[in-house]
Amino acid sequence: MPYTVRDGLVPPVERVADEAPLTVMLMARGSAWITPDGDGVPVRLGPGDLAITRGPDPYTCGDEPDTARQALILPGGECRYPDGTSLNGSMDLGVRTWGDRPDAGTIMLIGTCLMRGEISGRLLDALPPLPTLPADVWACPLTPLPAEEIVRDEPGQDVVLDRLLDLLLISALRAWFSRPEAAAPAWYRAPADPVVGRALRLPQDDPAHPWTVAALAAKAGVSRAALARQVGYGSAFALSPLHPVSEAAVHLLSTQPSTRAPIRPAPPRT
C-alpha cells in the first residue's frame, strides 16, 4: 500500500533498506549523497538533480558518504535507530513530515513504488542500479510542485501526489533514454517507429478486435512479412504487436491510481 512521509534529519543520514523495487529522488533544495551498499559508487545530488534507485538493495542518503547513519528505514516505512530501537513517532513533525527539524536547508523529495508488480520488469531491467539526471540535462518544470503539494492535507491529496510521481518518473525516463549515449530498449523505441508504433497502438485503441499480424500490417501500410521482420526475433524491436497492449505503454505511461506510491519529501538536510 502506498505511503507518504516527509523526512528531516540533522545530521542528515539514513540507511534505506525498504526493499522497494524503484525509488525516485529529487533534490528540491541543498545537496545530498546517495551511497549504494557494497561496491556502489556514491553519487552527489544538487538542486534539481534526480536519481532513481532500483531495489531491493539498500542505500544511504546523507550529507557526506562517510557520515555515521542516524536512522534505518525498513519495509513498510518502519523507522528505527541504527541499534534497532524504534523511533516510536519521536520524529513526526506534522503532515507528511518526519525528522527532527522541519526548517533544514536541504530537502529531497522521494517517491517509492512499494511492490515489484507496480513497475514493469522490463523497465527495471533497462535501468542501471542508480541512474542520475543533473538539473541541466532534464530541466523538469514539475520540480516546484511536489514540494508545495506534499505538505497539503486536503481531499484527494494522495491522488494528486500519485499523479505527480507518475509525471516525474515519465519525464525522468524520457530524459534518461533520450541521452545520446543511452541504449534505449526496443520496447521504448518501438512506439516512435512509423510502422511498428502504428501496429502497437492499434490493439490499444481497439482491444476487443480480433487482431492478427496480417490485419495490423494492412493498417500500418506494409506487408505481413515486412511487419514480422521488424518485430520478430532478432529484429530491431523483437516484440510482438499482438502483446495485450504493449508493455511500454502499460508500465511507462499508464496512470492507475492503485499502482503508484505518492511522493515523500525526504531528509530536509543541512
Side-chain angles (χ1 to χ4, degrees):
M1 182 176 178
Y3 70 94
T4 304
V5 68
R6 177 186 176 102
D7 306 343
L9 296 176
V10 182
V13 183
E14 60 182 18
R15 183 173 186 266
V16 182
D18 57 6
E19 301 180 2
L22 187 144
T23 299
V24 180
M25 295 176 284
L26 174 65
M27 289 303 306
R29 188 169 71 224
S31 64
W33 286 85
I34 310 299
T35 306
D37 275 20
D39 298 329
V41 178
V43 174
R44 182 183 182 276
L45 300 180
D49 294 351
L50 179 140
I52 298 175
T53 60
R54 198 187 69 188
D57 295 337
Y59 57 92
T60 299
C61 293
D63 57 344
E64 296 291 343
D66 56 355
T67 304
R69 297 161 177 169
Q70 259 96 38
L72 177 63
I73 311 301
L74 298 172
E78 181 183 1
C79 303
R80 294 183 176 273
Y81 291 107
D83 64 4
T85 305
S86 175
L87 291 173
N88 290 323
S90 61
M91 292 188 176
D92 292 345
L93 297 175
V95 177
R96 302 182 187 88
T97 302
W98 180 90
D100 54 10
R101 181 171 151 185
D103 60 346
T106 304
I107 296 177
M108 176 188 287
L109 308 180
I110 299 179
T112 304
C113 295
L114 301 178
M115 296 179 292
R116 188 175 177 89
E118 295 175 343
I119 200 73
S120 169
R122 285 192 179 187
L123 172 58
L124 295 176
D125 293 342
L127 294 173
L130 185 57
T132 58
L133 289 169
D136 59 354
V137 170
W138 81 304
C140 181
L142 298 169
T143 300
L145 290 178
E148 297 173 4
E149 292 292 339
I150 194 69
V151 294
R152 292 185 178 179
D153 189 16
E154 299 179 11
Q157 194 63 22
D158 286 345
V159 176
V160 171
L161 296 174
D162 286 351
R163 299 291 72 77
L164 282 175
L165 177 57
D166 288 334
L167 292 171
L168 280 175
L169 179 57
I170 292 170
S171 297
L173 293 173
R174 286 175 173 173
W176 177 259
F177 287 129
S178 66
R179 296 171 305 131
E181 67 274 25
W187 56 259
Y188 183 86
R189 292 182 285 111
D193 183 85
V195 174
V196 177
R198 168 73 170 155
L200 288 173
R201 284 189 292 272
L202 287 167
Q204 288 183 258
D205 295 340
D206 189 1
H209 185 82
W211 291 105
T212 65
V213 175
L216 292 172
K219 288 284 190 179
V222 298
S223 68
R224 183 188 187 284
L227 180 59
R229 282 195 300 270
Q230 288 191 264
V231 300
Y233 179 76
S235 70
F237 298 109
L239 47 82
S240 170
L242 294 180
H243 186 284
V245 189
S246 106
E247 269 202 2
V250 170
H251 295 289
L252 180 61
L253 302 176
S254 69
T255 54
Q256 299 175 7
S258 63
T259 62
R260 296 288 188 269
I263 298 167
R264 60 182 181 95
R269 310 179 191 278
T270 58

Short mmCIF file of all heavy atoms in Angstrom, two decimals, residues 30-66:
data_model
loop_
_atom_site.label_atom_id
_atom_site.label_comp_id
_atom_site.label_asym_id
_atom_site.label_seq_id
_atom_site.Cartn_x
_atom_site.Cartn_y
_atom_site.Cartn_z
N GLY A 30 19.32 22.35 -1.60
CA GLY A 30 20.53 21.84 -0.98
C GLY A 30 21.16 20.71 -1.77
O GLY A 30 20.95 20.57 -2.97
N SER A 31 21.93 19.87 -1.08
CA SER A 31 22.60 18.75 -1.73
C SER A 31 22.67 17.57 -0.79
O SER A 31 22.53 17.70 0.43
CB SER A 31 24.02 19.14 -2.16
OG SER A 31 24.82 19.45 -1.03
N ALA A 32 22.88 16.38 -1.35
CA ALA A 32 22.98 15.16 -0.56
C ALA A 32 23.73 14.12 -1.37
O ALA A 32 23.86 14.22 -2.59
CB ALA A 32 21.59 14.64 -0.19
N TRP A 33 24.22 13.09 -0.69
CA TRP A 33 24.91 11.97 -1.32
C TRP A 33 24.05 10.72 -1.22
O TRP A 33 23.47 10.44 -0.17
CB TRP A 33 26.26 11.71 -0.64
CG TRP A 33 27.31 12.72 -0.99
CD1 TRP A 33 27.51 13.94 -0.39
CD2 TRP A 33 28.29 12.60 -2.02
NE1 TRP A 33 28.56 14.59 -0.97
CE2 TRP A 33 29.07 13.78 -1.98
CE3 TRP A 33 28.60 11.61 -2.95
CZ2 TRP A 33 30.13 14.00 -2.85
CZ3 TRP A 33 29.66 11.83 -3.82
CH2 TRP A 33 30.41 13.00 -3.78
N ILE A 34 23.98 9.98 -2.31
CA ILE A 34 23.34 8.67 -2.31
C ILE A 34 24.46 7.63 -2.43
O ILE A 34 25.23 7.64 -3.40
CB ILE A 34 22.36 8.50 -3.49
CG1 ILE A 34 21.41 9.70 -3.55
CG2 ILE A 34 21.60 7.20 -3.37
CD1 ILE A 34 20.56 9.89 -2.34
N THR A 35 24.57 6.75 -1.45
CA THR A 35 25.65 5.77 -1.41
C THR A 35 25.07 4.37 -1.40
O THR A 35 24.50 3.94 -0.39
CB THR A 35 26.53 5.97 -0.18
OG1 THR A 35 27.00 7.33 -0.13
CG2 THR A 35 27.72 5.02 -0.20
N PRO A 36 25.17 3.63 -2.50
CA PRO A 36 24.68 2.25 -2.51
C PRO A 36 25.53 1.37 -1.58
O PRO A 36 26.72 1.63 -1.38
CB PRO A 36 24.85 1.81 -3.97
CG PRO A 36 25.01 3.09 -4.75
CD PRO A 36 25.68 4.04 -3.81
N ASP A 37 24.92 0.34 -1.02
CA ASP A 37 25.67 -0.63 -0.23
C ASP A 37 26.64 -1.39 -1.13
O ASP A 37 26.47 -1.46 -2.35
CB ASP A 37 24.72 -1.61 0.45
CG ASP A 37 24.21 -1.07 1.77
OD1 ASP A 37 24.27 0.16 1.98
OD2 ASP A 37 23.73 -1.87 2.60
N GLY A 38 27.65 -1.98 -0.52
CA GLY A 38 28.59 -2.79 -1.28
C GLY A 38 29.58 -1.94 -2.05
O GLY A 38 30.13 -0.96 -1.53
N ASP A 39 29.78 -2.27 -3.32
CA ASP A 39 30.79 -1.60 -4.15
C ASP A 39 30.22 -0.44 -4.95
O ASP A 39 30.88 0.08 -5.85
CB ASP A 39 31.43 -2.61 -5.12
CG ASP A 39 32.14 -3.73 -4.38
OD1 ASP A 39 32.66 -3.47 -3.28
OD2 ASP A 39 32.18 -4.86 -4.91
N GLY A 40 28.99 -0.02 -4.65
CA GLY A 40 28.39 1.07 -5.41
C GLY A 40 29.13 2.38 -5.24
O GLY A 40 29.70 2.67 -4.18
N VAL A 41 29.15 3.18 -6.28
CA VAL A 41 29.84 4.47 -6.26
C VAL A 41 28.89 5.55 -5.74
O VAL A 41 27.78 5.72 -6.25
CB VAL A 41 30.32 4.85 -7.68
CG1 VAL A 41 31.00 6.21 -7.67
CG2 VAL A 41 31.27 3.78 -8.21
N PRO A 42 29.29 6.33 -4.71
CA PRO A 42 28.44 7.40 -4.20
C PRO A 42 28.15 8.45 -5.27
O PRO A 42 29.00 8.76 -6.10
CB PRO A 42 29.26 8.00 -3.05
CG PRO A 42 30.22 6.92 -2.67
CD PRO A 42 30.53 6.19 -3.93
N VAL A 43 26.93 8.99 -5.24
CA VAL A 43 26.50 10.00 -6.21
C VAL A 43 26.02 11.23 -5.44
O VAL A 43 25.22 11.12 -4.52
CB VAL A 43 25.37 9.46 -7.11
CG1 VAL A 43 24.82 10.57 -8.00
CG2 VAL A 43 25.85 8.29 -7.95
N ARG A 44 26.53 12.39 -5.85
CA ARG A 44 26.10 13.63 -5.22
C ARG A 44 24.98 14.26 -6.04
O ARG A 44 25.07 14.39 -7.25
CB ARG A 44 27.26 14.63 -5.11
CG ARG A 44 26.88 15.93 -4.40
CD ARG A 44 28.05 16.91 -4.39
NE ARG A 44 27.72 18.13 -3.67
CZ ARG A 44 27.08 19.17 -4.20
NH1 ARG A 44 26.70 19.13 -5.48
NH2 ARG A 44 26.82 20.24 -3.47
N LEU A 45 23.92 14.68 -5.35
CA LEU A 45 22.79 15.35 -5.98
C LEU A 45 22.74 16.80 -5.50
O LEU A 45 22.81 17.07 -4.30
CB LEU A 45 21.47 14.66 -5.63
CG LEU A 45 21.31 13.20 -6.04
CD1 LEU A 45 19.93 12.69 -5.62
CD2 LEU A 45 21.53 13.03 -7.53
N GLY A 46 22.60 17.71 -6.47
CA GLY A 46 22.42 19.12 -6.15
C GLY A 46 21.00 19.55 -6.47
O GLY A 46 20.17 18.74 -6.89
N PRO A 47 20.68 20.81 -6.29
CA PRO A 47 19.31 21.29 -6.53
C PRO A 47 18.82 20.96 -7.94
O PRO A 47 19.50 21.24 -8.93
CB PRO A 47 19.42 22.80 -6.33
CG PRO A 47 20.60 22.98 -5.43
CD PRO A 47 21.57 21.89 -5.81
N GLY A 48 17.65 20.34 -8.02
CA GLY A 48 17.07 19.97 -9.31
C GLY A 48 17.55 18.66 -9.87
O GLY A 48 16.98 18.16 -10.85
N ASP A 49 18.59 18.07 -9.28
CA ASP A 49 19.08 16.77 -9.75
C ASP A 49 18.12 15.67 -9.33
O ASP A 49 17.43 15.77 -8.30
CB ASP A 49 20.47 16.46 -9.18
CG ASP A 49 21.53 17.41 -9.68
OD1 ASP A 49 21.23 18.20 -10.60
OD2 ASP A 49 22.66 17.37 -9.15
N LEU A 50 18.10 14.61 -10.12
CA LEU A 50 17.20 13.48 -9.83
C LEU A 50 17.98 12.17 -9.92
O LEU A 50 18.87 12.01 -10.75
CB LEU A 50 16.04 13.46 -10.82
CG LEU A 50 15.03 12.32 -10.67
CD1 LEU A 50 13.60 12.83 -10.89
CD2 LEU A 50 15.32 11.18 -11.67
N ALA A 51 17.64 11.23 -9.04
CA ALA A 51 18.23 9.89 -9.07
C ALA A 51 17.11 8.87 -8.92
O ALA A 51 16.07 9.13 -8.30
CB ALA A 51 19.26 9.72 -7.96
N ILE A 52 17.34 7.69 -9.49
CA ILE A 52 16.42 6.57 -9.36
C ILE A 52 17.19 5.38 -8.81
O ILE A 52 18.21 4.99 -9.37
CB ILE A 52 15.80 6.20 -10.72
CG1 ILE A 52 14.99 7.37 -11.28
CG2 ILE A 52 14.90 4.96 -10.59
CD1 ILE A 52 14.45 7.12 -12.68
N THR A 53 16.73 4.85 -7.69
CA THR A 53 17.35 3.64 -7.17
C THR A 53 16.50 2.44 -7.56
O THR A 53 15.28 2.49 -7.50
CB THR A 53 17.48 3.68 -5.63
OG1 THR A 53 16.18 3.81 -5.04
CG2 THR A 53 18.35 4.83 -5.19
N ARG A 54 17.16 1.39 -7.97
CA ARG A 54 16.49 0.16 -8.38
C ARG A 54 16.75 -0.88 -7.31
O ARG A 54 17.86 -1.36 -7.13
CB ARG A 54 17.04 -0.30 -9.73
CG ARG A 54 16.18 -1.28 -10.45
CD ARG A 54 16.89 -1.79 -11.68
NE ARG A 54 18.03 -2.62 -11.32
CZ ARG A 54 18.94 -3.07 -12.18
NH1 ARG A 54 18.87 -2.72 -13.44
NH2 ARG A 54 19.93 -3.84 -11.78
N GLY A 55 15.71 -1.22 -6.52
CA GLY A 55 15.85 -2.13 -5.39
C GLY A 55 16.05 -3.57 -5.82
O GLY A 55 16.11 -3.87 -7.01
N PRO A 56 16.12 -4.44 -4.81
CA PRO A 56 15.86 -4.18 -3.39
C PRO A 56 17.09 -3.84 -2.57
O PRO A 56 17.03 -3.79 -1.34
CB PRO A 56 15.28 -5.52 -2.93
CG PRO A 56 16.02 -6.54 -3.74
CD PRO A 56 16.23 -5.89 -5.10
N ASP A 57 18.25 -3.61 -3.20
CA ASP A 57 19.47 -3.37 -2.44
C ASP A 57 19.39 -2.07 -1.66
O ASP A 57 18.88 -1.05 -2.15
CB ASP A 57 20.67 -3.32 -3.39
CG ASP A 57 20.91 -4.66 -4.07
OD1 ASP A 57 20.46 -5.68 -3.51
OD2 ASP A 57 21.52 -4.69 -5.15
N PRO A 58 19.93 -2.05 -0.42
CA PRO A 58 19.88 -0.85 0.42
C PRO A 58 20.83 0.23 -0.09
O PRO A 58 21.75 -0.02 -0.87
CB PRO A 58 20.33 -1.35 1.80
CG PRO A 58 20.23 -2.85 1.73
CD PRO A 58 20.48 -3.21 0.30
N TYR A 59 20.61 1.44 0.39
CA TYR A 59 21.48 2.57 0.10
C TYR A 59 21.38 3.55 1.26
O TYR A 59 20.51 3.44 2.13
CB TYR A 59 21.09 3.25 -1.22
CG TYR A 59 19.66 3.73 -1.27
CD1 TYR A 59 19.31 5.02 -0.89
CD2 TYR A 59 18.64 2.88 -1.68
CE1 TYR A 59 18.00 5.45 -0.91
CE2 TYR A 59 17.33 3.29 -1.72
CZ TYR A 59 17.01 4.58 -1.34
OH TYR A 59 15.70 4.99 -1.36
N THR A 60 22.28 4.53 1.26
CA THR A 60 22.29 5.53 2.32
C THR A 60 22.15 6.92 1.73
O THR A 60 22.79 7.25 0.73
CB THR A 60 23.60 5.45 3.14
OG1 THR A 60 23.70 4.16 3.73
CG2 THR A 60 23.63 6.51 4.24
N CYS A 61 21.29 7.75 2.35
CA CYS A 61 21.16 9.16 2.00
C CYS A 61 21.84 9.97 3.09
O CYS A 61 21.53 9.77 4.27
CB CYS A 61 19.69 9.59 1.92
SG CYS A 61 18.77 8.84 0.57
N GLY A 62 22.74 10.87 2.71
CA GLY A 62 23.41 11.63 3.73
C GLY A 62 24.08 12.88 3.21
O GLY A 62 24.16 13.12 2.01
N ASP A 63 24.59 13.71 4.13
CA ASP A 63 25.29 14.92 3.75
C ASP A 63 26.67 14.61 3.18
O ASP A 63 27.17 15.33 2.33
CB ASP A 63 25.39 15.88 4.94
CG ASP A 63 26.07 15.24 6.14
OD1 ASP A 63 26.20 13.99 6.17
OD2 ASP A 63 26.48 15.99 7.04
N GLU A 64 27.27 13.50 3.63
CA GLU A 64 28.55 13.02 3.11
C GLU A 64 28.51 11.49 3.10
O GLU A 64 27.82 10.89 3.91
CB GLU A 64 29.72 13.50 3.98
CG GLU A 64 29.92 15.01 4.01
CD GLU A 64 30.40 15.57 2.68
OE1 GLU A 64 30.89 14.78 1.85
OE2 GLU A 64 30.29 16.79 2.49
N PRO A 65 29.27 10.86 2.19
CA PRO A 65 29.22 9.39 2.12
C PRO A 65 29.67 8.68 3.39
O PRO A 65 29.22 7.57 3.67
CB PRO A 65 30.17 9.07 0.95
CG PRO A 65 30.19 10.31 0.13
CD PRO A 65 30.05 11.44 1.10
N ASP A 66 30.56 9.32 4.18
CA ASP A 66 31.12 8.63 5.35
C ASP A 66 30.53 9.07 6.68
O ASP A 66 31.00 8.68 7.74
CB ASP A 66 32.64 8.79 5.37
CG ASP A 66 33.06 10.27 5.36
OD1 ASP A 66 32.18 11.14 5.23
OD2 ASP A 66 34.28 10.53 5.47
#
